[in-house]
Amino acid sequence: MEHPITISHYTPLPDGEHSPSLTTTNTAEQSSRRRSLTFVLLFSSILAACLVMGTMVLFPNSGNEAVEKSTVVPEETVEVAPRGVAEGVSMKSFRRPALNAEPPANFPWNSNVLSWQRSSFHFQPNQNWMNDPNGPLFYKGWYHLFYQYNPDGAIWGNKIVWGHAVSSDLIHWKHLPVAMVTDHWYDVNGVWTGSATILPDGQIVMLYTGSTNESVQVQNLAYPADPSDPLLIEWVKYPGNPVLVPPPGIDFKDFRDPTTAWRTPEGKWRLIIGSKLNKTGISLVYDTVDFKNFTLLDGVLHAVHGTGMWECVDFYPVSKFGENGLDTSFDGVGVKHVMKASLDDDRNDYYAIGTYDPVSGKWVPDNPELDVGIGLRYDYGIYYASKTFYDSNKKRRVLWSWIKETDSEISDVRKGWASVQGIPRTILFDPKTGSNLLQWPVEEVNKLRLNKTVFENVEINTGAVLPLEIGSGSQLDITAEFEVDKESLERVQETNEVYDCKNNGGSSGRGALGPFGLLILADKDLSEQTPVYFYIAKGSGGNLRTFFCADHSRSSKAVDVDKEIYGSVVPVLRGEKLTMRILVDHSIVESFSQGGRTCITSRVYPTKAIYNNAKVFLFNNATEARIIASLNIWQMNTAQRQTHFADLVI
């Protein structure tokens, strides 16, 4: 039986200073903080040793040994331990479903195919491993993105640092030196995820999770060494770190990822940190006036039973009526608040819309059936560890997210890199449904559009597959509208059909009103194809339920890549056409339906449908519906990625 969620009051760590300024403290104060961790570290060292021993028993071959073997013989079947779990974070390696209880053999990739997989307009470092976006902000004319980075290779490691890049438009990026490294006892095992808060006087406060020398998760404070530097090259870590340690009742590896702080009615700053109690995901709430001394509020901001560890939590307001984003501290009439958590158990990002009480420090979902972790997701594909920030430059809320690889580590090592960031998305409340968010690529991505091909009122009969002559299909921006003729909708009998994208045969599973849509990254013979499509189910009373799906089951001849079918229901209101937008950028595809009500991010690794052999087709696999489609398809330019920061013009 699970225990009730109760957390005793937490006394702030002694500091001796309570000024809101970001001045430093002396060595004696730091020693006092370190002594306060003794009871945690003694216990953690014993548990960490047990975890390491258990990992050695379960996985006798280390990840490095596996990579070394497979680099020599790519076809050899090798299974590695899940990276990150023993260290206290979500699994960082993609584990393919076993075939006949054995992992599939690795495909013999060649350098030409692997080179094609690198993105052209999504953000990624020049080489090596990347995961969570950290501390995004707009400062003195520059957008800043920090990110989890392994400078030593293309796999996740236990010395993760903060990579850093800047942009004037969120599309063209300039790589800067690493911002923070593992150089103190409180973050020697990893400078992990964190968030930025910009104070009213312009100061930047950066709180991040560090993994200590005993693998305890603690929260640390950092700030720019030179606030006048718009590039924020140098960072200083507060000598009194850590400023927060796991409170009583919280496991030392279940306390991470502080959010951006927001103002309370009393003038304090408030933030949340992800955790769990037994199998209940929770968000701990802290108040502070100086970001050095914190008070843990009684209870939690929110908790959902059965959702497991909440990491990379996020909390922000949205306007019910306005078209602009809101500053994180904004509250008032016509405002809802979004609670988001990345679930360690299934590695998906869930959100819910609800009402926040700033006095009690509690948040309640509008619809308990769509609560965090059991309801809506930002994205129904490969999309995790997301983080938003308020862009004061354009008055919008912008969403970043880590898009992991779903091929083998062996391939990643050969490529020399792993992971990309999703195209930044704006977030708005959907006033038409009143129950979900709208996510859409930032407008700046449109600047990459080149020549456009238009297809108007293309008729697609049942069972038809129509090629679209557009040249190469490797870098595209596609917008499409689909209409089902009214006679088909009226003629089709009502059924009690229970449909979901994954378990109904994907794009091959034929129904009266679907599937229909686009085949992207397809070769001319359709031996490789990735369908992105709609499926309409007609229920009792003539009610129509529409699904938006992406089928990867035939996306590649390779056997060592993800071939799942992703998707979910998408709200379609009376009188609306079915719409989708697809950004194709080599091995990453982002699909948006109905203005961003439902989104799917795909990683696709074709062996034949690459370069000029990547084609696009319309298809209609419905048995009784005639479809009319209209499309605009743009070839996309390549974004600039400057690597020599000394050449930047400020």
Side-chain angles (χ1 to χ4, degrees):
M1 181 175 177
E2 190 154 358
H3 299 294
I5 299 174
T6 55
I7 300 176
S8 57
H9 188 75
Y10 176 64
T11 304
L13 293 173
D15 192 338
E17 253 189 336
H18 298 277
S19 168
S21 65
L22 297 177
T23 53
T24 60
T25 59
N26 58 37
T27 306
E29 290 168 340
Q30 183 178 355
S31 299
S32 174
R33 290 176 182 272
R34 189 168 182 175
R35 286 196 300 271
S36 71
L37 279 173
T38 301
F39 78 98
V40 178
L41 300 181
L42 286 174
F43 173 73
S44 67
S45 62
I46 296 173
L47 184 56
C50 293
L51 286 170
V52 171
M53 291 177 65
T55 302
M56 292 173 64
V57 172
L58 291 171
F59 305 102
N61 292 326
S62 73
N64 290 334
E65 292 171 347
V67 168
E68 183 176 337
K69 285 182 181 179
S70 301
T71 302
V72 177
V73 186
E75 293 80 5
E76 182 178 348
T77 296
V78 179
E79 189 76 348
V80 297
R83 299 189 187 279
V85 176
E87 291 82 357
V89 291
S90 64
M91 186 171 67
K92 304 304 181 188
S93 52
F94 176 67
R95 296 175 68 78
R96 305 182 301 276
L99 299 176
N100 300 323
E102 293 291 338
N106 295 297
F107 185 82
W109 299 94
N110 63 56
S111 58
N112 184 54
V113 179
L114 293 177
S115 295
W116 175 88
Q117 293 176 9
R118 188 169 178 84
S119 71
S120 289
F121 54 87
H122 283 74
F123 176 84
Q124 62 182 126
N126 291 326
Q127 59 185 2
N128 298 333
W129 168 275
M130 172 180 65
N131 54 288
D132 307 6
N134 296 150
L137 71 155
F138 180 80
Y139 186 72
K140 294 185 181 296
W142 292 97
Y143 292 101
H144 290 257
L145 176 64
F146 305 88
Y147 54 91
Q148 300 283 278
Y149 179 63
N150 180 7
D152 298 325
I155 57 176
W156 187 86
N158 62 355
K159 294 292 183 180
I160 294 295
V161 301
W162 272 30
H164 184 195
V166 295
S167 172
S168 61
D169 61 4
L170 291 172
I171 300 299
H172 303 287
W173 290 92
K174 309 172 191 301
H175 293 287
L176 301 179
V178 167
M180 290 193 284
V181 299
T182 56
D183 56 359
H184 291 77
W185 68 270
Y186 52 76
D187 61 11
V188 70
N189 279 319
V191 180
W192 289 349
T193 295
S195 300
T197 301
I198 300 179
L199 306 184
D201 62 0
Q203 291 188 82
I204 299 173
V205 174
M206 196 73 78
L207 289 175
Y208 70 93
T209 298
S211 181
T212 73
N213 56 335
E214 296 291 347
S215 296
V216 179
Q217 294 175 8
V218 298
Q219 313 311 318
N220 303 308
L221 169 65
Y223 40 88
D226 179 9
S228 68
D229 174 18
L231 299 182
L232 302 174
I233 299 293
E234 300 290 339
W235 288 79
V236 175
K237 296 177 183 177
Y238 175 50
N241 281 334
V243 295
L244 280 171
V245 301
I250 297 298
D251 189 86
F252 69 102
K253 288 188 176 180
D254 295 335
F255 182 65
R256 56 184 178 270
D257 309 336
T259 64
T260 295
W262 65 92
R263 282 286 200 180
T264 69
E266 299 80 19
K268 298 179 181 179
W269 291 97
R270 179 168 293 168
L271 59 90
I272 58 175
I273 295 173
S275 188
K276 69 174 181 178
L277 286 174
N278 300 313
K279 290 295 184 181
T280 296
I282 63 174
S283 48
L284 302 167
V285 189
Y286 287 91
D287 280 358
T288 183
V289 295
D290 58 6
F291 292 89
K292 302 172 186 176
N293 302 278
F294 292 81
T295 299
L296 175 63
L297 273 61
D298 292 333
V300 295
L301 180 75
H302 193 57
V304 180
H305 174 71
T307 56
M309 176 67 193
W310 285 8
E311 55 181 6
C312 300
V313 289
D314 203 357
F315 188 71
Y316 55 89
V318 289
S319 172
K320 291 175 61 179
F321 312 110
E323 296 183 356
N324 290 331
L326 300 177
D327 180 83
T328 308
S329 293
F330 191 91
D331 197 7
V333 178
V335 172
K336 287 290 184 179
H337 277 79
V338 176
M339 177 74 222
K340 171 263 170 179
S342 300
L343 264 57
D344 192 5
D345 285 359
D346 70 4
R347 289 170 299 284
N348 290 310
D349 280 17
Y350 293 83
Y351 77 88
I353 300 170
T355 301
Y356 169 62
D357 182 354
V359 177
S360 66
K362 299 292 186 294
W363 174 91
V364 179
D366 288 347
N367 183 353
E369 294 183 357
L370 297 178
D371 208 343
V372 180
I374 60 175
L376 300 175
R377 284 164 49 180
Y378 275 161
D379 193 290
Y380 291 88
I382 307 300
Y383 202 85
Y384 194 65
S386 60
K387 182 176 295 294
T388 68
F389 76 101
Y390 176 66
D391 175 11
S392 59
N393 182 43
K394 291 199 170 183
K395 305 295 186 292
R396 60 187 176 180
R397 181 155 293 273
V398 177
L399 172 68
W400 280 102
S401 183
W402 168 40
I403 314 300
K404 68 181 179 182
E405 302 295 322
T406 58
D407 59 353
S408 69
E409 283 192 348
I410 297 166
S411 297
D412 297 342
V413 170
R414 290 190 63 189
K415 290 185 298 189
W417 59 270
S419 304
V420 300
Q421 298 291 329
I423 287 293
R425 304 175 181 179
T426 57
I427 285 188
L428 291 172
F429 179 80
D430 186 352
K432 293 182 179 179
T433 65
S435 60
N436 58 272
L437 299 175
L438 297 173
Q439 303 169 63
W440 201 246
V442 292
E443 61 184 2
E444 289 89 340
V445 75
N446 297 349
K447 296 179 181 179
L448 296 176
R449 289 172 170 173
L450 298 173
N451 55 301
K452 180 172 72 170
T453 305
V454 178
F455 301 89
E456 293 185 348
N457 300 320
V458 179
E459 184 174 329
I460 322 169
N461 293 320
T462 58
V465 178
L466 305 178
L468 299 176
E469 299 299 331
I470 58 158
S472 173
S474 293
Q475 292 177 215
L476 302 174
D477 187 354
I478 304 171
T479 61
E481 291 183 346
F482 297 88
E483 291 184 84
V484 182
D485 71 283
K486 294 182 179 180
E487 291 184 3
S488 299
L489 291 174
E490 295 172 356
R491 184 175 60 250
V492 170
Q493 297 296 313
E494 299 173 7
T495 68
N496 294 319
E497 178 183 13
V498 177
Y499 185 86
D500 70 75
C501 296
K502 184 175 182 178
N503 298 314
N504 286 76
S507 59
S508 299
R510 305 189 69 179
L513 298 175
F516 57 88
L518 287 162
L519 307 178
I520 58 170
L521 296 176
D523 68 326
K524 61 183 178 60
D525 299 322
L526 300 180
S527 64
E528 291 183 330
Q529 56 177 275
T530 300
V532 180
Y533 59 93
F534 291 107
Y535 187 101
I536 302 174
K538 187 174 183 179
S540 59
N543 293 321
L544 302 178
R545 199 161 189 243
T546 304
F547 296 81
F548 185 54
C549 315
D551 182 353
H552 305 95
S553 61
R554 290 166 289 170
S555 62
S556 176
K557 291 292 186 181
V559 294
D560 56 348
V561 301
D562 174 40
K563 295 188 179 180
E564 290 291 308
I565 301 171
Y566 298 110
S568 182
V569 66
V570 57
V572 180
L573 305 184
R574 186 178 299 276
E576 289 184 340
K577 294 181 180 180
L578 298 178
T579 63
M580 67 171 72
R581 182 180 182 182
I582 305 175
L583 294 175
V584 181
D585 187 6
H586 296 262
S587 64
I588 176 172
V589 178
E590 297 190 65
S591 304
F592 307 83
S593 176
Q594 302 309 113
R597 288 179 189 148
T598 298
C599 309
I600 306 171
T601 298
S602 307
R603 296 308 307 270
V604 184
Y605 305 92
T607 63
K608 300 171 63 178
I610 59 176
Y611 299 109
N612 290 331
N613 294 323
K615 309 296 182 182
V616 178
F617 297 80
L618 283 166
F619 82 98
N620 177 12
N621 216 18
T623 59
E624 299 186 42
R626 185 173 60 90
I627 308 298
I628 303 296
S630 295
L631 305 92
N632 294 319
I633 303 180
W634 290 266
Q635 295 288 336
M636 294 291 277
N637 205 348
T638 298
Q640 299 174 4
R641 294 170 183 150
Q642 185 174 336
T643 57
H644 302 291
F645 77 95
D647 297 332
L648 291 181
V649 177
I650 301 175

